Structures are given as structure tokens and as C-alpha cells.
Amino acid sequence: MRKHSILGMILILLLAGCAPSFEDKQEVVQDSKDKKETAIIPKYKISEEYYQTILPFEPSKARGLVVSNLNTRYDIEEFENGLMRLAQTQFDPEDYLFQEGQMLDSSTISSWLNRKYTDSQLKEKKKKASENVGLNPVDPGKGDIDKRNKENPIYLAHILEHNYLLKTKDNSVGLGGVVIGLALNSVHYYQKEAFGATYEKNIDSKKLKQEGEKIAAEVLKRLRKMDKLKNVPITIALFEQNEKSSVVPGNFISYTNIDKNSDNIGKWTNLDEEYFLFPSAAAEKKYRDDVNTFTNFKEDVEEYFPNFNGVIGRAFYMDDQLQSLNIDIPIQFYGNSEAIGFTQYVAGLIMERFPNYIAVQVSITSVNGPEALIVREANQDEPTVHIYE
């Protein structure tokens, strides 16, 4: 009976093509560039977990910089999405609106990501002391290259800013808080000569966290010197990105909430978050039962297509509990009916194999691109299925 109901859902999604209406909206007044402008808040909200945004859209002042600074697309997605998730510890989506960062532009962030200069390096580069704003350690520039890089690795890879706007009683919105993500390197890469071989140094997690907290303290001081950030709450979160070869993202390791008007960081909240590849030896060692459940699902898929063995999953754990599982199934179809039948089969397997409290997303692709997407949110009775035309 389960499979029949899922097939019905697939047909409804294919035929209906329904979309939410954005006609209902709320107009508010926003302070922008030292002047007041009319902005629009769309009424429709996808989920209580998501922040609403305002129109017109204001892109980040450092738009696109994250792509060049982080190692993988998995790190980019988790860094951005995870930062918004952590924002909810301080800024309730019911009260706050989301806006991309407007305070730190590309040139500011790039200069902060540099190494600190020595006095002699400043003279050599003909730079002013006020330009010596790099947050990464000094490279003396002399001596053994390996030793220099091992003793002074690049800790800070990127800085990401999110703004949260607060609605007031007089139908206006203003900056209500800022969230800053500091992406840190778990591996430092360096070269001994231009266009030469790339070497790497693993950075101890404890040391990385200590350095991240030092950097966060300096970032807070600089933010407080900005007129618009002198008296707003600020959250700073530390993200440890994975190595370049990783097929799973890194994770946030801690965050701190700073009250408005405060110039000092008090308590840090440690996070126990981690991603694992399914199947893998590391996941098998730590979460054997979850890997066995995934393996049974994988074997069921392979039974449908006996010569196929390309199912992989990325599992997200929080406090040692499996929260979500993203599964990729690349496969070749020979007709639309075959794709629909297979999608129906996989949707049924999700309900049969994985506990209801786990959020599961399955992406089915072929050489032609995306074929189907199946999403089963935590505690959802039926998955949502979309087949691409």
C-alpha cells in the first residue's frame, strides 16, 4: 500500500505544477546607505526554520569570495547553511529577517586573510602600518621553507558575514544582529617554489581552535570600531574545513554570542558535529548500525539494477546522533517510464529502511543531468518527490 500512495504522489507532482503565491506582501522602511528606503517582505514562508528575506535583494559586499577561499563545494554549502542554522541560537526566525553581509566588503576580507607583516616586510612592500591587518601568522621569509610553514601555517581561510534585520513597531526594519563565520584550515597547503609541488601540513584540532578563538577576539574588536556595529549583538562561529580531497564537508566546532555594547568574548559553546561518507571504514568503525542500514538500502537499489553499484551517502551527526542523510544515485535510464518506476521504488525504500526521525534526501542523476529528487523530512509521513522533465 505504501508504494501505491507514493506513486500517486509522483503523478500529482508531475501534473499539478503548483507554486506558492507571492502576491501578499508587507512593505516596510529600511535604513540603507544612510537613507530610508521602502522594502518588501514576502508573506510566504517555506518553513518555520527558514528566515524571510527582504526585497529588493542586496547581494553580499563580498559576494563570490567564498568560492575561491574554501577547498570544496561541500565545505562552501555547509559553511553557509550551517552558519544560518547557528544563527537561530541568537536570532529567532519569527522575529528576524535575513540579509547577506553588508558591512565587510571583498577588499576588507581579503586584507584580513593575509599574513601579518614584519616591520622589514612592510618597508619592502612599501605599505603603511595601518595596512598591516592580516590575521594569519607572520612568515619570517628566511630560513627553511618546511620549518616556516609548519611553525606558521595559514589558519584562517575565509570570513563570512550574515546580517539579521529586526522589525520594529513603526513598520521599519534595521540591523538587529550580525553573525560571523570564521573558516579555519584543518590542512595547510604550501609550495616551495612557484608552480612547484604542493606540500601539506595537518593542523592539530586543539591548536586550530585556540588560534581561531584568538582571531575571533581581534575580529570582534575591529567590528566594534564600525559605527553600525557598535551596539548590536554579534555571534561568531568557528568552522573547520576539510582537506581538498574530501568528499564530505567540514563542520562547525564552536560559537559564541556577544551581547550588544560588549567588546569582549566570554563563553564559547563547543559543538559536536561531524560528517561521514557512507560506506567508509571511518563510519563503519564509529556508527556500525547506521552503516548497516545504509548498506541494506544500497543492496536493495543494486538488486533493482544488478550491474549498478554507485550509491553513496553523506551522513550528518550531531551529538553522536544521525540527523540527516544525503544520498546520491547516478544511473543511466532508457526512458521516462523507467526513471519514474525506479524513483517510486527508491521512495518506498526510504520509508522502509530509514527511521522516521532521520531526514533523508536522495538525488537521482544520469549523464543527462538531474532525473529525480526525493526528500523525506524528519518525522514526515510521506516523502516529497519531484521528477525532472
Side-chain angles (χ1 to χ4, degrees), residues 26-32 35-41 54-55 95-97 99 164-176:
Q26 177 185 359
E27 289 190 357
V28 294
V29 177
Q30 180 192 10
D31 288 327
S32 177
K35 62 180 180 180
K36 295 184 181 297
E37 297 179 347
T38 300
I40 296 173
I41 305 173
I54 62 173
L55 302 174
D95 302 319
Y96 290 85
L97 306 168
Q99 185 179 50
Y164 291 89
L165 309 180
L166 190 60
K167 291 178 284 187
T168 60
K169 294 180 180 179
D170 60 351
N171 204 39
S172 64
V173 295
L175 185 63

Side-chain angles (χ1 to χ4, degrees), residues 226-263:
M226 299 179 182
D227 289 339
K228 292 185 178 181
L229 300 182
K230 287 182 178 179
N231 59 355
V232 297
I234 296 175
T235 293
I236 302 179
L238 304 183
F239 177 80
E240 182 177 355
Q241 73 163 330
N242 252 331
E243 65 272 13
K244 292 181 178 180
S245 60
S246 177
V247 293
V248 294
N251 54 274
F252 282 92
I253 56 178
S254 61
Y255 71 92
T256 182
N257 295 323
I258 302 107
D259 293 335
K260 63 179 182 179
N261 301 317
S262 175
D263 295 328

Side-chain angles (χ1 to χ4, degrees), residues 7 20 46 113 135 152 171 175 271 290 319 334 355:
L7 178 58
I46 297 174
L113 296 178
L135 293 169
N152 308 289
N171 204 39
L175 185 63
L271 297 170
D290 293 335
D319 298 325
Y334 297 95

